[in-house]
Amino acid sequence: GADIGPQKDRVVTEEEWLQKWEMGNTGFHKEQGHPLLQKYLDLLLNGRSGLRIFFPLCGKAVEMKWLADMGHSVVGVEVSEQALKEFFAEHSLPYCEEPVPEISGAKKLQSTSGNISLYCCSIYDLSSSIVGKFDGVWDRGALVAVNPCDRQRYVSLMITLMEKNSSYLLVTVSYDPNKHKGPPFYVPESEIKSLFGNHCEIKCLQKVNDFSDKHRQWGLDYFLEVLYILKFGA
């Protein structure tokens, strides 16, 4: 963890994430959807239709609606019930709510059409016996939001949720971790390789300069988004 500097001991609590949603402090939410998913969607889908696609720490990501409208089945998990309710409200989607028997206190919010199921709980409470396995994952803002000490736990869980021949689009961020405490946390490429490398083929697709005034205010002088595709074999 030396190359992530002082971030390796940083912990953000569930309460802090809930508070971000309550205060509307959600600069990470992209109203228009993410350009990298639009650009590389074909790589994720790989010519297949009717996939099961997982959004870890989904917030109210607009791409969930977009993929469901293409005929895919979308599953998300998010600790903030407010975020999930805002997702359904903002897209005028009717939904029903039910408890998740296997997880104390958890709820599942499912669109009436049945193709979007969002779990309100800690991601670490999920397992493939509860949510099944996935053909595709869009991980933008999830791995980089997980506390650095929990990365191994998070990745181990994600690997158990992957179907054979599945694809995982992963967006990380790159900046000087000595200048900003995160989140989003800096995840170096070497760490992606050590976390996932034994389980899939990893390819870096693109690095995008995403530097803005916000990052300047954080004290940074550069900020990149880095997109990987992880391919799980048969």
Side-chain angles (χ1 to χ4, degrees):
D3 52 354
I4 62 170
Q7 288 190 357
K8 66 177 187 300
D9 302 316
R10 171 107 162 101
V11 170
V12 183
T13 64
E14 211 165 88
E15 284 64 39
E16 286 176 79
W17 284 109
L18 292 172
Q19 205 171 8
K20 284 179 191 289
W21 282 101
E22 278 161 30
M23 309 290 292
N25 179 13
T26 53
F28 47 81
H29 175 68
K30 283 198 185 303
E31 297 288 343
Q32 303 306 317
H34 202 293
L36 286 175
L37 181 58
Q38 298 178 21
K39 180 171 178 182
Y40 291 100
L41 181 66
D42 291 349
L43 275 184
L44 182 66
L45 302 179
N46 200 10
R48 301 168 299 165
S49 55
L51 301 190
R52 296 192 81 231
I53 299 176
F54 186 46
F55 280 67
L57 316 192
C58 60
K60 54 176 183 177
V62 298
E63 298 90 340
M64 297 192 288
K65 167 87 166 47
W66 188 49
L67 283 161
D69 287 346
M70 287 180 198
H72 304 289
S73 156
V74 171
V75 175
V77 61
E78 167 59 51
V79 71
S80 167
E81 186 174 347
Q82 178 185 337
L84 299 180
K85 290 189 162 166
E86 285 178 11
F87 168 78
F88 287 110
E90 286 167 15
H91 297 285
S92 310
L93 285 174
Y95 67 96
C96 51
E97 220 175 275
E98 56 186 66
V100 182
E102 302 91 335
I103 307 171
S104 167
K107 285 180 183 172
K108 177 166 86 167
L109 284 61
Q110 187 168 41
S111 61
T112 312
S113 54
N115 55 357
I116 302 177
S117 305
L118 307 182
Y119 288 80
C120 184
C121 60
S122 161
I123 188 168
Y124 303 116
D125 290 333
L126 294 184
S127 63
S128 58
S129 62
I130 299 172
V131 292
K133 294 195 173 200
F134 299 99
D135 308 298
V137 170
W138 170 241
D139 182 331
R140 181 258 157 189
L143 179 63
V144 296
V146 167
N147 292 322
C149 60
D150 290 329
R151 272 178 201 161
Q152 185 62 64
R153 181 185 182 196
Y154 171 82
V155 168
S156 299
L157 168 67
M158 293 300 288
I159 287 164
T160 66
L161 298 179
M162 302 304 291
E163 276 290 7
K164 294 183 167 80
N165 296 316
S166 55
S167 301
Y168 185 133
L169 280 181
L170 170 65
V171 180
T172 63
V173 293
S174 179
Y175 60 84
D176 182 345
N178 295 297
K179 294 186 173 177
H180 177 60
K181 61 184 185 184
F185 298 110
Y186 167 56
V187 188
E189 185 160 357
S190 57
E191 193 163 356
I192 302 295
K193 288 180 171 158
S194 68
L195 287 167
F196 285 101
N198 294 336
H199 304 276
C200 56
E201 187 188 306
I202 301 169
K203 185 177 176 192
C204 180
L205 294 173
Q206 195 176 349
K207 295 184 180 179
V208 181
N209 174 14
D210 196 36
F211 189 68
S212 68
D213 285 343
K214 170 177 74 178
H215 302 123
R216 190 174 286 114
Q217 284 160 12
W218 291 354
L220 298 177
D221 36 29
Y222 71 95
F223 188 93
L224 302 173
E225 281 196 317
V226 186
L227 179 71
Y228 299 91
I229 186 159
L230 316 179
K231 285 192 166 289
F232 289 78

